[in-house]
Amino acid sequence: MVGREKELSIHFVPGCCQLVEEEVNIPSRRVLITGATGLLGRAVYKEFQQSNWHAVGCGFRRARPKFEQVNLLDSEAVHHLIHDFQPHVIVHCAAERRPDAAAIGAFLIYISSDYVFDGTNPPYTEEDIPSPLNLYGKTKLDGEKAVLENNLGAAVLRIPVLYGEVEKLEESAVTVMFDKVQFSNKSANMDHWQQRFPTHVKDVASVCRQLAEKRMLDPSIKGTFHWSGNEQMTKYEMACAIADAFNLPSSHLRPITDSPVIGAQRPKNAQLNCSKLETLGIGQRTPFRIGIKESLWPFLIDKRWRQTVFH
């Protein structure tokens, strides 16, 4: 702790309340998180803030009052934010283009996806050649190239499908299945073709922080990295695991083993090899059953189950 700042607080004493100016410690390490209102961004902000970093998050539609409201397409606004705050690290969780981190020497972590691979020859290392099947994967790959070409010291972190403490079930492709699981009076078709590796956002957040802290000690920490949960599941298997975690029936869930014919093409199995980060001593994995129970119990419809699930 090196910085100090004055902060106003209210002190209550019998008969009156007083407005008192107090000095508070400000952590010396500064991190800026873009997309801080999103599922991953919220977890990254929380992880750094709780680990003695001065964290500032920015977002757009849902930013106020907790985060800075910045449109990342407004280069002047982004420039002002970065140059006023002077972050040591920028974690780019937002979908928009990268901030100009190179200009101030910040370590940029760009969040990418396992969808940069076509899923025909897993597991994939960082050295394997990407071959995205759909627009999302191509967009992420373009972002990776732009980041690494413009900032030689940056890091790209590829991750798979995420889940965690959602504000609404639709925020994650994993948690969105919960309603289908709960409404057991209606049969539900679930994909049993694509192999996924559901990963908790707090684990990715921890990896980002560990990567940032290693980089502050070692400038050679840069380039492309992979992180992923290690439990392989189809959506059908995830839905069954969710049902099991909450003691709910799963007989109404129907596995569909055919390759999807509608919508964007998806890789069958884009498993990421994470040994590069593991060799650096970086990593954290939450077992799916534990993580999904933590994430979904507020959305449990039948309140009677709440008494049995956690006891």
Side-chain angles (χ1 to χ4, degrees), residues 64-304:
R64 301 292 188 189
K66 189 174 182 180
F67 303 119
E68 298 292 321
Q69 187 171 36
V70 179
N71 180 354
L72 294 184
L73 298 176
D74 182 346
S75 55
E76 192 175 333
V78 172
H79 175 85
H80 281 307
L81 175 64
I82 292 175
H83 284 263
D84 287 349
F85 183 49
Q86 293 281 314
H88 298 101
V89 176
I90 297 174
V91 185
H92 189 43
C93 300
E96 288 86 359
R97 67 185 181 88
R98 61 182 179 83
D100 186 14
I104 61 157
F107 175 47
L108 174 63
I109 301 174
Y110 173 80
I111 304 297
S112 188
S113 167
D114 58 347
Y115 270 39
V116 300
F117 297 111
D118 62 13
T120 57
N121 192 27
Y124 292 94
T125 70
E126 290 83 352
E127 284 70 45
D128 286 322
I129 297 168
S131 178
L133 294 177
N134 56 37
L135 182 60
Y136 175 74
K138 288 170 187 168
T139 304
K140 280 297 184 185
L141 184 58
D142 288 344
E144 289 185 13
K145 290 174 179 173
V147 164
L148 296 174
E149 283 170 10
N150 289 282
N151 188 339
L152 298 177
V156 165
L157 180 62
R158 293 177 181 145
I159 53 175
V161 64
L162 299 176
Y163 72 96
E165 292 181 14
V166 293
E167 291 179 346
K168 52 187 179 184
L169 292 175
E170 297 75 23
E171 216 174 3
S172 157
V174 179
T175 58
V176 74
M177 296 187 285
F178 197 32
D179 279 346
K180 285 186 177 179
V181 170
Q182 293 193 84
F183 294 114
S184 55
N185 59 335
K186 186 178 178 184
S187 66
N189 293 339
M190 309 298 294
D191 176 63
H192 195 41
W193 174 82
Q194 189 183 23
Q195 303 298 315
R196 307 303 301 269
F197 293 81
T199 302
H200 203 303
V201 286
K202 70 180 180 184
D203 296 340
V204 176
S206 177
V207 165
C208 288
R209 178 188 56 78
Q210 292 173 59
L211 195 57
E213 290 175 354
K214 276 244 191 285
R215 166 56 182 260
M216 291 187 80
L217 300 172
D218 181 0
S220 72
I221 302 287
K222 59 185 178 182
T224 305
F225 299 92
H226 290 171
W227 191 253
S228 169
N230 56 4
E231 296 171 80
Q232 179 173 330
M233 292 183 238
T234 62
K235 279 196 170 182
Y236 168 73
E237 288 166 331
M238 283 185 239
C240 288
I242 291 168
D244 184 57
F246 287 96
N247 302 320
L248 296 168
S250 60
S251 56
H252 65 294
L253 303 172
R254 295 181 178 174
I256 304 299
T257 54
D258 300 333
S259 169
V261 288
I262 337 174
Q265 267 192 292
R266 295 177 181 188
K268 181 169 185 180
N269 184 352
Q271 180 182 6
L272 299 173
N273 179 321
C274 305
S275 57
K276 185 175 173 182
L277 278 177
E278 289 166 344
T279 303
L280 289 170
I282 292 174
Q284 175 179 299
R285 287 189 177 99
T286 301
F288 183 72
R289 185 187 170 95
I290 293 171
I292 204 66
K293 199 184 280 190
E294 287 175 357
S295 306
L296 287 178
W297 76 265
F299 298 92
L300 198 56
I301 291 166
D302 189 341
K303 304 300 188 290
R304 290 171 300 176

Side-chain angles (χ1 to χ4, degrees), residues 18-60:
Q18 299 171 319
L19 198 59
V20 179
E21 190 175 67
E22 295 177 333
E23 282 198 338
V24 292
N25 287 317
I26 301 296
S28 59
R29 302 175 299 181
R30 297 180 299 279
V31 59
L32 175 66
I33 296 107
T34 70
T37 58
L39 177 60
L40 178 59
R42 295 194 303 271
V44 172
Y45 177 84
K46 184 177 179 182
E47 172 71 24
F48 276 92
Q49 192 184 47
Q50 292 179 347
S51 303
N52 198 25
W53 282 74
H54 183 189
V56 166
C58 65
F60 189 46

